[in-house]
Amino acid sequence: MAGWLFVITLVLALVAVYKPFGDYMYRVVSGNRDTAVERGVYRLVGVDRDAEQTWGVYARSVLAFSAVSILFLYAVLRLQDKLWLSLGFDPLPGHLAWNTAVSFTTNTNWQAYSGESTMGHLVQMAGLAVQNFVSASVGIAVAVALVRGFAVRKSATLGNFWVDLTRITLRVLLPICVVAAMIFMAAGMVQNLSGGVDVTTLTGATQHITGGPVASQEAIKELGTNGGGFYNVNAAHPFENPTTWTNWIQLFLILVIPFSLPRVFGRMVGQNRQGYAIAAVMAILAVASIALTVGFEVHGAGTVPQAVGAAMEGKETRFGIPNSATYAAVTTLTSTGSVNSFHDSYTAPGGMMPMINMMLGEVAPGGVGAGLYGLLILAVITVFVAGLMVGRTPEYLGKKIGAREMKIASSYFLITPALVLVGTAAAFATGNNATALNVGPHGLSEVLYAFTSAANNNGSAFAGITVNTPWWDTALGLAMLLGRFLPIVLVLALAGSLARQKITPESEGTLPTHQPLFVGMVVGVTVVLVALTFLPALALGPIAEGLS
């Protein structure tokens, strides 16, 4: 009952903020007024805020900003020992610095290291935490650009990336993080820059801990932007997630932006019911995933869980099974990747669900921005399939979906599966699967999970695999890089193609894309496409493990 109340209250809270918060984000990305701080940023970087960009210029701006971010972060990581507040930590090796720089710039935040014993405070704050903000802003900006492609008619431009990036960072992410950080500090999270403090525990013993900006980083992380935490065990650590109610707040922060973005979509295209349809698809997939994940873990399929009466291995007793499984489902349905339990210890079907969540493309509700544009791509594929059924040129929101649009949408969908499956095969072909903790089906699952998480920019892991090696850092870095920016370029190309079209009036043969039929079709297309793509790999991994 406690588990159900946890989920039900979370759903009610998200429903309550959907309209007001979505409307606020709509005003942020659609308004014409800038604050004094924003105008100062534009002058500092030499941006003309009134200059509209074509999709090609918008894409080049995203890529240029991200390339500079990777180079800057790589340099900071390699020079860590020469920086202030380094805490005496050595610089990161080249392969790990590459992996980490790519990871945080792509909003993956995969960590192949232990945060508290590897990173100094300045690197955490000026390097990693900055990317927690701006990489999330990039995702939202790209989603907004795609929606503009649907909303405008016969236009060559999609807005201005630098304006979108600045507004989203300063007006959406920063204010929420400031408030959330104060709440987390009140709940008992550590916030200091002491860098090594002797603390007397309740038992009178003396313990040496490394202090750090945990509360603020946790607030950033739980906006759905960070799979990495200050501590190696992430949100399982009591300094990062002390109680069940902080667990609830973290999940709320993870979900609030991606679940409110459909409202922005509906407002921008002038049909709120279209936003409700997209939100309904997200909700159906999310509720089904949470129910299955919790059910599999509560059932405790397996010899040892059945013998002891619960699948509690790798879970914190203060959270229990339902809250832990809900957290696992939510953080893999989004691109957060935060964990409060050890996914590698889950039952075979329970451990399969986080993988499936990511294989869906993380669209329910997905990462901040990335979930919305991924689901809109699936909606485009759905209307194309529906058009084939009735022999009519498919349309979505008055824009015709022709050969060019379908080539872009199909390419988008194929990128991530190719990276996941080719990467997993390469690990086994080169013998690098030997770093997995287990052999057999579970060992395959560990490798498959790693590439699924990297290519989908999630950041979580089964963690039963040693990935801090030159091969793994390089391979996963490439998966994160290609899995982030190839889809973004395709999304912007689709936005540009749609923006140039005129609006086609609805007719008797137009498929209503706001009704339950369309919602069910999008859910069905999403599940079928994923099943056709990944079922063989899942059959060799978690399904085989479960059947054994």
Side-chain angles (χ1 to χ4, degrees):
M1 179 59 67
W4 278 114
L5 289 174
F6 185 90
V7 174
I8 291 170
T9 54
L10 185 63
V11 171
L12 293 176
L14 292 170
V15 170
V17 302
Y18 172 81
K19 183 177 179 179
F21 186 57
D23 288 345
Y24 171 73
M25 287 195 290
Y26 166 75
R27 292 192 295 271
V28 168
V29 299
S30 300
N32 293 319
R33 291 188 174 184
D34 297 299
T35 65
V37 174
E38 290 164 354
R39 291 193 294 271
V41 172
Y42 302 151
R43 287 194 294 270
L44 181 65
V45 297
V47 171
D48 179 2
R49 57 97 52 225
D50 295 318
E52 294 274 313
Q53 296 177 324
T54 64
W55 81 263
V57 176
Y58 203 103
R60 289 195 293 273
S61 299
V62 172
L63 295 177
F65 176 76
S66 301
V68 171
S69 297
I70 291 174
L71 293 174
F72 173 78
L73 189 50
Y74 179 85
V76 169
L77 295 170
R78 294 287 284 157
L79 298 172
Q80 175 175 234
D81 60 327
K82 297 176 176 59
L83 300 176
W84 181 53
L85 292 176
S86 68
L87 303 183
F89 291 139
D90 294 329
L92 270 64
H95 57 88
L96 181 57
W98 143 264
N99 182 277
T100 305
V102 170
S103 173
F104 280 80
T105 303
T106 59
N107 197 31
T108 310
N109 306 329
W110 169 278
Q111 289 180 294
Y113 58 88
S114 299
E116 69 268 34
S117 60
T118 307
M119 301 292 187
H121 292 333
L122 187 66
V123 172
Q124 293 268 17
M125 294 185 299
L128 306 187
V130 169
Q131 288 304 315
N132 291 160
F133 282 103
V134 295
S135 64
S137 297
V138 167
I140 299 175
V142 172
V144 169
L146 176 58
V147 176
R148 289 187 184 123
F150 284 109
V152 301
R153 64 182 68 190
K154 304 187 77 170
S155 172
T157 59
L158 298 171
N160 188 305
F161 167 72
W162 305 104
V163 173
D164 292 337
L165 178 74
T166 303
R167 287 182 174 183
I168 293 165
T169 302
L170 296 180
R171 295 196 211 175
V172 178
L173 300 181
L174 268 171
I176 299 177
C177 283
V178 170
V179 174
M182 291 190 289
I183 293 173
F184 286 149
M185 283 187 286
M189 292 185 188
V190 177
Q191 172 78 24
N192 68 76
L193 290 175
S194 56
V197 186
D198 285 327
V199 229
T200 303
T201 65
L202 292 176
T203 59
T206 300
Q207 182 181 7
H208 190 74
I209 67 167
T210 300
V214 178
S216 57
Q217 289 204 176
E218 192 70 12
I220 298 167
K221 177 178 72 177
E222 303 312 340
L223 282 174
T225 65
N226 184 5
F230 187 87
Y231 294 102
N232 189 39
V233 294
N234 209 262
H237 199 293
F239 284 173
E240 288 202 24
N241 194 4
T243 65
T244 54
W245 70 267
T246 59
N247 201 53
W248 188 96
I249 293 174
Q250 288 179 15
L251 292 184
F252 175 78
L253 292 174
I254 289 170
L255 294 169
V256 65
I257 292 179
F259 258 128
S260 297
L261 279 173
R263 176 69 179 185
V264 181
F265 166 65
R267 290 289 305 273
M268 291 182 69
V269 299
Q271 300 182 54
N272 286 329
R273 59 188 183 179
Q274 299 289 347
Y276 289 129
I278 294 298
V281 175
M282 291 178 173
I284 290 170
L285 292 171
V287 170
S289 172
I290 292 171
L292 287 172
T293 307
V294 173
F296 286 142
E297 289 303 292
V298 169
H299 178 65
T303 305
V304 174
Q306 289 178 355
V308 300
M312 275 298 295
E313 180 186 342
K315 298 181 178 69
E316 288 294 309
T317 54
R318 68 183 185 277
F319 301 138
I321 292 176
N323 288 9
S324 299
T326 300
Y327 200 98
V330 168
T331 56
T332 49
L333 285 165
T334 59
S335 65
T336 312
S338 176
V339 296
N340 72 351
S341 57
F342 200 51
H343 293 186
D344 199 35
S345 296
Y346 276 39
T347 63
M352 177 179 66
M353 288 308 301
M355 281 192 277
I356 291 178
N357 293 339
M358 293 182 287
M359 290 170 179
L360 288 172
E362 292 181 332
V363 294
V368 282
L372 177 61
Y373 66 66
L375 195 51
L376 290 178
I377 293 285
L378 287 166
V380 166
I381 295 174
T382 301
V383 296
F384 181 78
V385 172
L388 292 179
M389 291 179 178
V390 298
R392 176 185 169 89
T393 302
E395 301 169 8
Y396 187 45
L397 300 176
K399 299 298 180 77
K400 292 188 179 295
I401 308 301
R404 173 179 170 79
E405 288 76 22
M406 274 310 299
K407 288 176 182 177
I408 295 173
S410 300
S411 298
Y412 175 97
F413 183 81
L414 292 173
I415 286 172
T416 301
L419 293 172
V420 172
L421 298 177
V422 171
T424 302
F428 280 88
T430 57
N432 283 282
N433 63 300
T435 60
L437 181 65
N438 295 275
V439 296
H442 196 79
L444 172 62
S445 296
E446 290 172 342
V447 176
L448 180 64
Y449 194 111
F451 276 101
T452 302
S453 177
N456 284 282
N457 303 128
N458 181 265
S460 67
F462 256 22
I465 183 170
T466 302
V467 292
N468 190 10
T469 66
W471 190 91
W472 276 104
D473 282 336
T474 303
L476 293 177
L478 287 172
M480 289 184 282
L481 194 69
L482 297 175
R484 173 70 164 179
F485 294 114
L486 288 181
I488 281 179
V489 171
L490 291 172
V491 166
L492 293 173
L494 178 62
S497 178
L498 295 170
R500 288 191 295 269
Q501 295 185 31
K502 63 180 181 179
I503 301 293
T504 303
E506 292 186 6
S507 66
E508 291 291 334
T510 301
L511 173 68
T513 54
H514 61 278
Q515 294 183 358
L517 174 62
F518 181 73
V519 171
M521 289 179 65
V522 176
V523 171
V525 167
T526 303
V527 173
V528 169
L529 286 177
V530 171
L532 291 174
T533 307
F534 289 107
L535 185 58
L538 293 172
L540 294 172
I543 294 176
E545 181 186 357
L547 293 175
S548 65

